[in-house]
């Protein structure tokens, strides 16, 4: 019987999926595909080709030019901490990299997804000790000690894949920084490159046995305590529900502040947490190392510790916990909330008790009255989602004890590096991020009778800041009847863009009852709304003007 010939191998044409572009273009295009639309940077000759590529992509990629490399790195860090999204900065090698290294180290200690693009000397001379401009001995080895992922781009064909791998590493498991280095003679080198789409993030399967074990321990606890760190910031809803179910106080350690709203009586800071720790029979740590409580406050055989950590190596570093749950805190807590009711004891409200405890500690902290007065003034001036950047100062230290925090990611503290001087540039990154067009200021909703575009310009001060919001295009389309409805909140800033046809809605203080009542004032502007005014008044009925 004759043998069948082997199947012919299919020829795969690279022409359909690859484009000849430079390493710099491939890197930046991949960043854009992953949602990174701002590059904080201080240019220099080793990165000239990178900035040429940034200019070519300037319709989609914003470059923020700083006066010092440290500023670029800290701004990227501030933007990452405020949003939880990957951010990037670019600096030259040697002194440029070293100037940014404290921020990169801080990003590592704070689990912040910051991508450092760092230039290099000519590829063939790396390690040659020839005295090139900004040459540094074993730059790659230094960087590797500061980040979770570090690679040298050796060829343009590799750039996109390496960028995608770096961003995946930044967001996998315990988040953290990454770095890509590229020689001066590679950034501008063209090559056939297939742009890499975002790579799937690894998923950790929830350990159901560990969930049940933790639920039984928590359900039987008489005096449970919850401690939250930066790893709990995206799980505020779940932590709030767990606290209420267990009537357990929540100690937000630094960036864990605001995971439970400070206005909740169960939300505590260091002094009261220390007091509660001494009487707790179960402590559950969520996204926190718990180094200080375990080492300084102490443990004994009567205290059961439960850990929720993204890093599988973390739970055992400070002793074996009673239960360890590995993975993303949010789905783990969701599953724990499903299982816990079957094991939970009946619990009385601790609201009155905790209010009394909070009041007593507030009185004891009057010893730092001047700092408290400053913090009270800052809190009164900030909106609920206003962001406080904790510097290494007396005010910063007092804030860790006494500053009320209402939402996660609104109290930024420098982690265990506690590096002096980090605050100003980090705050610039926060401010840039939440006032820039890359921040989500426009929400569009489809699926109804008409599409609705909700534009919130509360944080903006001038028309130039909304140039990239596409507001003019939305208004133009709305005027034709094809674009749906455009709702602009705090529209005074951009009123000049509205033209001669819009509906103005204002909430004014009622002069007869200024403390309790508000008056809704609706005013049609232009011929289009004039023709609709009678129909609108009829629809409003008893509310009609």
């Amino acid at each position: 019987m004759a043998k069948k010939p082997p199947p012919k191998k299919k020829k795969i044409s690279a022409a359909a999926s690859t484009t000849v572009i430079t390493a710099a273009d491939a890197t930046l295009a991949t960043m854009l595909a992953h949602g990174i639309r701002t590059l904080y940077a201080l240019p220099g000759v080793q990165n000239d080709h990178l900035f040429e590529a940034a200019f070519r992509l300037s319709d989609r990629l914003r470059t923020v030019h700083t006066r010092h490399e440290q500023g670029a790195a800290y701004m990227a860090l501030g933007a990452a901490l405020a949003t939880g999204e990957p951010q990037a900065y670019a600096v030259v090698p040697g002194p440029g990299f070293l100037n940014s290294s404290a921020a990169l180290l801080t990003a590592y200690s704070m689990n912040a997804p910051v991508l450092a693009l760092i230039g290099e000397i000519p590829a063939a001379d790396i390690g040659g000790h020839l005295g090139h401009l900004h040459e540094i001995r074993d730059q790659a080895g230094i960087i590797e000690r500061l980040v979770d992922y570090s690679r040298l781009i050796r060829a343009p064909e590799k750039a996109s894949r390496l960028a995608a791998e770096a961003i995946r590493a930044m967001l996998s498991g315990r988040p953290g920084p990454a770095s890509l280095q590229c020689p001066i003679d590679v950034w501008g080198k063209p090559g056939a490159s297939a742009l890499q789409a975002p790579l799937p993030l690894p998923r950790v399967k929830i350990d159901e046995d560990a969930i049940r074990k933790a639920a039984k321990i928590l359900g039987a606890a008489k005096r449970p305590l919850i401690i939250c760190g930066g790893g709990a910031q995206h799980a505020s809803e779940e932590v709030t529900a767990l606290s209420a179910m267990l009537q357990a106080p929540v100690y937000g350690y630094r960036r864990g502040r605001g995971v439970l709203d400070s206005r909740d009586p169960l939300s505590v800071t260091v002094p009261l947490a220390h007091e509660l720790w001494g009487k707790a029979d179960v402590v559950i740590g969520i996204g926190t190392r718990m180094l200080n409580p375990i080492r300084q406050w102490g443990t004994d055989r009567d205290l059961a510790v439960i850990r929720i950590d993204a890093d599988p190596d973390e739970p055992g570093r400070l002793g074996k916990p009673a239960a360890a749950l590995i993975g993303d805190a949010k789905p783990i807590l969701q599953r724990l909330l499903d299982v816990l009711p079957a094991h939970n004891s009946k619990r009385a409200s601790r609201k009155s008790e905790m209010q009394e405890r909070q009041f007593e500690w507030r009185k004891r902290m009057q010893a730092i009255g001047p700092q408290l007065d400053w913090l009270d003034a800052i809190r009164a001036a900030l909106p609920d989602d206003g962001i406080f950047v904790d510097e290494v100062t007396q005010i910063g230290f007092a804030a860790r004890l006494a500053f009320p925090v209402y939402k996660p990611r609104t109290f930024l503290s420098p982690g265990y590096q506690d590096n002096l001087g980090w605050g100003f540039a980090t705050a610039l990154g926060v401010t840039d991020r939440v006032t820039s067009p890359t921040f989500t200021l426009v929400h569009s909703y489809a699926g109804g009778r008409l599409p609705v575009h909700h534009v919130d310009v509360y944080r903006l001060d001038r028309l130039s800041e909304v140039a990239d919001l596409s507001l003019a295009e939305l208004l133009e389309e709305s005027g034709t009847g094809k674009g749906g409805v455009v709702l602009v909140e705090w529209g005074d800033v951009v009123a000049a863009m509205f033209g001669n046809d819009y509906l103005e809605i204002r909430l004014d203080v009622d002069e007869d009852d200024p403390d309790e009542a508000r008056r809704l004032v609706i005013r049609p502007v232009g011929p289009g709304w004039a023709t609709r005014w009678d129909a609108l008044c009829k629809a409003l009925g008893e509310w009609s003007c």
Side-chain angles (χ1 to χ4, degrees), residues 494-515:
V494 293
M497 301 179 69
F498 295 162
N500 298 319
D501 207 352
Y502 60 92
L503 186 70
E504 181 185 85
I505 303 174
R506 287 187 175 275
L507 274 175
D508 288 345
V509 174
D510 191 312
E511 295 177 358
D512 296 328
D513 188 6
D515 293 329

PDB file of all heavy atoms in Angstrom, residues 494-515:
ATOM      1  N   VAL A 494     -17.103  76.138  28.972  1.00  0.00           N
ATOM      2  CA  VAL A 494     -17.081  75.923  27.520  1.00  0.00           C
ATOM      3  C   VAL A 494     -18.308  76.528  26.838  1.00  0.00           C
ATOM      4  O   VAL A 494     -18.623  76.170  25.704  1.00  0.00           O
ATOM      5  CB  VAL A 494     -16.982  74.413  27.200  1.00  0.00           C
ATOM      6  CG1 VAL A 494     -15.656  73.866  27.648  1.00  0.00           C
ATOM      7  CG2 VAL A 494     -18.121  73.635  27.868  1.00  0.00           C
ATOM      8  N   ALA A 495     -19.005  77.443  27.502  1.00  0.00           N
ATOM      9  CA  ALA A 495     -20.238  78.005  26.939  1.00  0.00           C
ATOM     10  C   ALA A 495     -20.014  78.646  25.578  1.00  0.00           C
ATOM     11  O   ALA A 495     -20.911  78.644  24.719  1.00  0.00           O
ATOM     12  CB  ALA A 495     -20.833  79.021  27.917  1.00  0.00           C
ATOM     13  N   ALA A 496     -18.817  79.179  25.355  1.00  0.00           N
ATOM     14  CA  ALA A 496     -18.535  79.834  24.080  1.00  0.00           C
ATOM     15  C   ALA A 496     -18.586  78.871  22.904  1.00  0.00           C
ATOM     16  O   ALA A 496     -18.720  79.295  21.755  1.00  0.00           O
ATOM     17  CB  ALA A 496     -17.169  80.506  24.135  1.00  0.00           C
ATOM     18  N   MET A 497     -18.498  77.560  23.199  1.00  0.00           N
ATOM     19  CA  MET A 497     -18.516  76.569  22.127  1.00  0.00           C
ATOM     20  C   MET A 497     -19.937  76.162  21.739  1.00  0.00           C
ATOM     21  O   MET A 497     -20.133  75.464  20.750  1.00  0.00           O
ATOM     22  CB  MET A 497     -17.731  75.313  22.547  1.00  0.00           C
ATOM     23  CG  MET A 497     -16.279  75.568  22.898  1.00  0.00           C
ATOM     24  SD  MET A 497     -15.424  74.057  23.410  1.00  0.00           S
ATOM     25  CE  MET A 497     -15.361  73.158  21.865  1.00  0.00           C
ATOM     26  N   PHE A 498     -20.935  76.581  22.516  1.00  0.00           N
ATOM     27  CA  PHE A 498     -22.290  76.080  22.307  1.00  0.00           C
ATOM     28  C   PHE A 498     -23.003  76.721  21.122  1.00  0.00           C
ATOM     29  O   PHE A 498     -24.031  76.223  20.679  1.00  0.00           O
ATOM     30  CB  PHE A 498     -23.143  76.297  23.551  1.00  0.00           C
ATOM     31  CG  PHE A 498     -22.698  75.527  24.766  1.00  0.00           C
ATOM     32  CD1 PHE A 498     -23.133  75.890  26.027  1.00  0.00           C
ATOM     33  CD2 PHE A 498     -21.841  74.447  24.647  1.00  0.00           C
ATOM     34  CE1 PHE A 498     -22.721  75.187  27.143  1.00  0.00           C
ATOM     35  CE2 PHE A 498     -21.424  73.748  25.751  1.00  0.00           C
ATOM     36  CZ  PHE A 498     -21.865  74.114  27.015  1.00  0.00           C
ATOM     37  N   GLY A 499     -22.480  77.845  20.646  1.00  0.00           N
ATOM     38  CA  GLY A 499     -23.169  78.516  19.549  1.00  0.00           C
ATOM     39  C   GLY A 499     -24.422  79.221  20.035  1.00  0.00           C
ATOM     40  O   GLY A 499     -24.512  79.673  21.184  1.00  0.00           O
ATOM     41  N   ASN A 500     -25.436  79.299  19.165  1.00  0.00           N
ATOM     42  CA  ASN A 500     -26.640  80.068  19.476  1.00  0.00           C
ATOM     43  C   ASN A 500     -27.854  79.198  19.761  1.00  0.00           C
ATOM     44  O   ASN A 500     -28.980  79.695  19.751  1.00  0.00           O
ATOM     45  CB  ASN A 500     -26.970  81.012  18.302  1.00  0.00           C
ATOM     46  CG  ASN A 500     -25.859  82.015  18.058  1.00  0.00           C
ATOM     47  OD1 ASN A 500     -25.297  82.537  19.010  1.00  0.00           O
ATOM     48  ND2 ASN A 500     -25.542  82.270  16.797  1.00  0.00           N
ATOM     49  N   ASP A 501     -27.660  77.897  20.015  1.00  0.00           N
ATOM     50  CA  ASP A 501     -28.820  77.028  20.166  1.00  0.00           C
ATOM     51  C   ASP A 501     -28.536  75.957  21.218  1.00  0.00           C
ATOM     52  O   ASP A 501     -27.879  74.951  20.942  1.00  0.00           O
ATOM     53  CB  ASP A 501     -29.156  76.377  18.821  1.00  0.00           C
ATOM     54  CG  ASP A 501     -30.644  76.022  18.719  1.00  0.00           C
ATOM     55  OD1 ASP A 501     -31.350  76.139  19.740  1.00  0.00           O
ATOM     56  OD2 ASP A 501     -31.076  75.622  17.643  1.00  0.00           O
ATOM     57  N   TYR A 502     -29.007  76.177  22.437  1.00  0.00           N
ATOM     58  CA  TYR A 502     -28.830  75.182  23.490  1.00  0.00           C
ATOM     59  C   TYR A 502     -29.814  75.450  24.618  1.00  0.00           C
ATOM     60  O   TYR A 502     -30.449  76.517  24.673  1.00  0.00           O
ATOM     61  CB  TYR A 502     -27.396  75.179  24.028  1.00  0.00           C
ATOM     62  CG  TYR A 502     -26.930  76.482  24.639  1.00  0.00           C
ATOM     63  CD1 TYR A 502     -27.062  76.732  26.003  1.00  0.00           C
ATOM     64  CD2 TYR A 502     -26.349  77.471  23.848  1.00  0.00           C
ATOM     65  CE1 TYR A 502     -26.629  77.922  26.563  1.00  0.00           C
ATOM     66  CE2 TYR A 502     -25.912  78.666  24.391  1.00  0.00           C
ATOM     67  CZ  TYR A 502     -26.051  78.888  25.749  1.00  0.00           C
ATOM     68  OH  TYR A 502     -25.621  80.073  26.288  1.00  0.00           O
ATOM     69  N   LEU A 503     -29.945  74.475  25.508  1.00  0.00           N
ATOM     70  CA  LEU A 503     -30.819  74.611  26.676  1.00  0.00           C
ATOM     71  C   LEU A 503     -29.941  74.734  27.915  1.00  0.00           C
ATOM     72  O   LEU A 503     -29.089  73.872  28.173  1.00  0.00           O
ATOM     73  CB  LEU A 503     -31.735  73.390  26.802  1.00  0.00           C
ATOM     74  CG  LEU A 503     -32.795  73.465  27.900  1.00  0.00           C
ATOM     75  CD1 LEU A 503     -33.865  74.494  27.534  1.00  0.00           C
ATOM     76  CD2 LEU A 503     -33.446  72.085  28.108  1.00  0.00           C
ATOM     77  N   GLU A 504     -30.140  75.805  28.657  1.00  0.00           N
ATOM     78  CA  GLU A 504     -29.357  76.033  29.870  1.00  0.00           C
ATOM     79  C   GLU A 504     -30.182  75.632  31.092  1.00  0.00           C
ATOM     80  O   GLU A 504     -31.330  76.034  31.241  1.00  0.00           O
ATOM     81  CB  GLU A 504     -28.973  77.509  29.971  1.00  0.00           C
ATOM     82  CG  GLU A 504     -28.132  77.835  31.192  1.00  0.00           C
ATOM     83  CD  GLU A 504     -27.868  79.326  31.316  1.00  0.00           C
ATOM     84  OE1 GLU A 504     -28.729  80.032  31.891  1.00  0.00           O
ATOM     85  OE2 GLU A 504     -26.826  79.790  30.816  1.00  0.00           O
ATOM     86  N   ILE A 505     -29.589  74.801  31.954  1.00  0.00           N
ATOM     87  CA  ILE A 505     -30.253  74.353  33.190  1.00  0.00           C
ATOM     88  C   ILE A 505     -29.356  74.725  34.366  1.00  0.00           C
ATOM     89  O   ILE A 505     -28.179  74.350  34.397  1.00  0.00           O
ATOM     90  CB  ILE A 505     -30.497  72.832  33.176  1.00  0.00           C
ATOM     91  CG1 ILE A 505     -31.334  72.435  31.951  1.00  0.00           C
ATOM     92  CG2 ILE A 505     -31.166  72.375  34.464  1.00  0.00           C
ATOM     93  CD1 ILE A 505     -31.489  70.945  31.779  1.00  0.00           C
ATOM     94  N   ARG A 506     -29.900  75.465  35.317  1.00  0.00           N
ATOM     95  CA  ARG A 506     -29.117  75.898  36.466  1.00  0.00           C
ATOM     96  C   ARG A 506     -29.812  75.503  37.778  1.00  0.00           C
ATOM     97  O   ARG A 506     -31.026  75.517  37.864  1.00  0.00           O
ATOM     98  CB  ARG A 506     -28.924  77.416  36.459  1.00  0.00           C
ATOM     99  CG  ARG A 506     -27.956  77.915  35.416  1.00  0.00           C
ATOM    100  CD  ARG A 506     -27.682  79.403  35.572  1.00  0.00           C
ATOM    101  NE  ARG A 506     -26.665  79.832  34.649  1.00  0.00           N
ATOM    102  CZ  ARG A 506     -25.350  79.746  34.864  1.00  0.00           C
ATOM    103  NH1 ARG A 506     -24.933  79.247  36.014  1.00  0.00           N
ATOM    104  NH2 ARG A 506     -24.481  80.146  33.972  1.00  0.00           N
ATOM    105  N   LEU A 507     -28.996  75.191  38.778  1.00  0.00           N
ATOM    106  CA  LEU A 507     -29.480  75.001  40.145  1.00  0.00           C
ATOM    107  C   LEU A 507     -29.053  76.224  40.944  1.00  0.00           C
ATOM    108  O   LEU A 507     -27.867  76.450  41.161  1.00  0.00           O
ATOM    109  CB  LEU A 507     -28.881  73.731  40.757  1.00  0.00           C
ATOM    110  CG  LEU A 507     -29.599  72.424  40.479  1.00  0.00           C
ATOM    111  CD1 LEU A 507     -28.801  71.266  41.045  1.00  0.00           C
ATOM    112  CD2 LEU A 507     -30.990  72.427  41.088  1.00  0.00           C
ATOM    113  N   ASP A 508     -30.023  77.038  41.362  1.00  0.00           N
ATOM    114  CA  ASP A 508     -29.736  78.244  42.123  1.00  0.00           C
ATOM    115  C   ASP A 508     -30.206  78.080  43.566  1.00  0.00           C
ATOM    116  O   ASP A 508     -31.102  77.286  43.861  1.00  0.00           O
ATOM    117  CB  ASP A 508     -30.452  79.456  41.507  1.00  0.00           C
ATOM    118  CG  ASP A 508     -29.819  79.883  40.181  1.00  0.00           C
ATOM    119  OD1 ASP A 508     -28.686  79.432  39.912  1.00  0.00           O
ATOM    120  OD2 ASP A 508     -30.463  80.637  39.441  1.00  0.00           O
ATOM    121  N   VAL A 509     -29.590  78.838  44.448  1.00  0.00           N
ATOM    122  CA  VAL A 509     -30.024  78.867  45.847  1.00  0.00           C
ATOM    123  C   VAL A 509     -31.366  79.584  45.937  1.00  0.00           C
ATOM    124  O   VAL A 509     -31.563  80.650  45.348  1.00  0.00           O
ATOM    125  CB  VAL A 509     -28.975  79.592  46.718  1.00  0.00           C
ATOM    126  CG1 VAL A 509     -29.485  79.762  48.147  1.00  0.00           C
ATOM    127  CG2 VAL A 509     -27.655  78.832  46.696  1.00  0.00           C
ATOM    128  N   ASP A 510     -32.306  78.979  46.640  1.00  0.00           N
ATOM    129  CA  ASP A 510     -33.605  79.602  46.846  1.00  0.00           C
ATOM    130  C   ASP A 510     -33.465  80.672  47.936  1.00  0.00           C
ATOM    131  O   ASP A 510     -33.086  80.378  49.067  1.00  0.00           O
ATOM    132  CB  ASP A 510     -34.629  78.540  47.263  1.00  0.00           C
ATOM    133  CG  ASP A 510     -36.057  79.070  47.228  1.00  0.00           C
ATOM    134  OD1 ASP A 510     -36.291  80.167  47.778  1.00  0.00           O
ATOM    135  OD2 ASP A 510     -36.914  78.394  46.650  1.00  0.00           O
ATOM    136  N   GLU A 511     -33.751  81.904  47.567  1.00  0.00           N
ATOM    137  CA  GLU A 511     -33.559  83.004  48.512  1.00  0.00           C
ATOM    138  C   GLU A 511     -34.462  82.895  49.740  1.00  0.00           C
ATOM    139  O   GLU A 511     -34.113  83.388  50.822  1.00  0.00           O
ATOM    140  CB  GLU A 511     -33.820  84.335  47.802  1.00  0.00           C
ATOM    141  CG  GLU A 511     -32.815  84.621  46.694  1.00  0.00           C
ATOM    142  CD  GLU A 511     -33.126  85.910  45.946  1.00  0.00           C
ATOM    143  OE1 GLU A 511     -34.150  86.552  46.262  1.00  0.00           O
ATOM    144  OE2 GLU A 511     -32.335  86.265  45.059  1.00  0.00           O
ATOM    145  N   ASP A 512     -35.601  82.233  49.602  1.00  0.00           N
ATOM    146  CA  ASP A 512     -36.527  82.092  50.737  1.00  0.00           C
ATOM    147  C   ASP A 512     -36.052  81.034  51.730  1.00  0.00           C
ATOM    148  O   ASP A 512     -36.407  81.080  52.913  1.00  0.00           O
ATOM    149  CB  ASP A 512     -37.930  81.749  50.235  1.00  0.00           C
ATOM    150  CG  ASP A 512     -38.522  82.864  49.393  1.00  0.00           C
ATOM    151  OD1 ASP A 512     -38.203  84.046  49.669  1.00  0.00           O
ATOM    152  OD2 ASP A 512     -39.288  82.541  48.462  1.00  0.00           O
ATOM    153  N   ASP A 513     -35.299  80.046  51.249  1.00  0.00           N
ATOM    154  CA  ASP A 513     -34.819  78.973  52.128  1.00  0.00           C
ATOM    155  C   ASP A 513     -33.422  78.553  51.661  1.00  0.00           C
ATOM    156  O   ASP A 513     -33.226  77.466  51.109  1.00  0.00           O
ATOM    157  CB  ASP A 513     -35.793  77.783  52.085  1.00  0.00           C
ATOM    158  CG  ASP A 513     -35.447  76.723  53.128  1.00  0.00           C
ATOM    159  OD1 ASP A 513     -34.530  76.962  53.940  1.00  0.00           O
ATOM    160  OD2 ASP A 513     -36.087  75.658  53.114  1.00  0.00           O
ATOM    161  N   PRO A 514     -32.424  79.416  51.839  1.00  0.00           N
ATOM    162  CA  PRO A 514     -31.097  79.168  51.249  1.00  0.00           C
ATOM    163  C   PRO A 514     -30.381  77.941  51.794  1.00  0.00           C
ATOM    164  O   PRO A 514     -29.519  77.380  51.127  1.00  0.00           O
ATOM    165  CB  PRO A 514     -30.321  80.452  51.578  1.00  0.00           C
ATOM    166  CG  PRO A 514     -31.029  81.035  52.760  1.00  0.00           C
ATOM    167  CD  PRO A 514     -32.476  80.679  52.583  1.00  0.00           C
ATOM    168  N   ASP A 515     -30.727  77.493  53.000  1.00  0.00           N
ATOM    169  CA  ASP A 515     -30.025  76.351  53.592  1.00  0.00           C
ATOM    170  C   ASP A 515     -30.535  75.011  53.074  1.00  0.00           C
ATOM    171  O   ASP A 515     -29.788  74.031  53.027  1.00  0.00           O
ATOM    172  CB  ASP A 515     -30.148  76.388  55.118  1.00  0.00           C
ATOM    173  CG  ASP A 515     -29.409  77.564  55.721  1.00  0.00           C
ATOM    174  OD1 ASP A 515     -28.388  77.972  55.134  1.00  0.00           O
ATOM    175  OD2 ASP A 515     -29.853  78.069  56.771  1.00  0.00           O
TER     176      ASP A 515
END
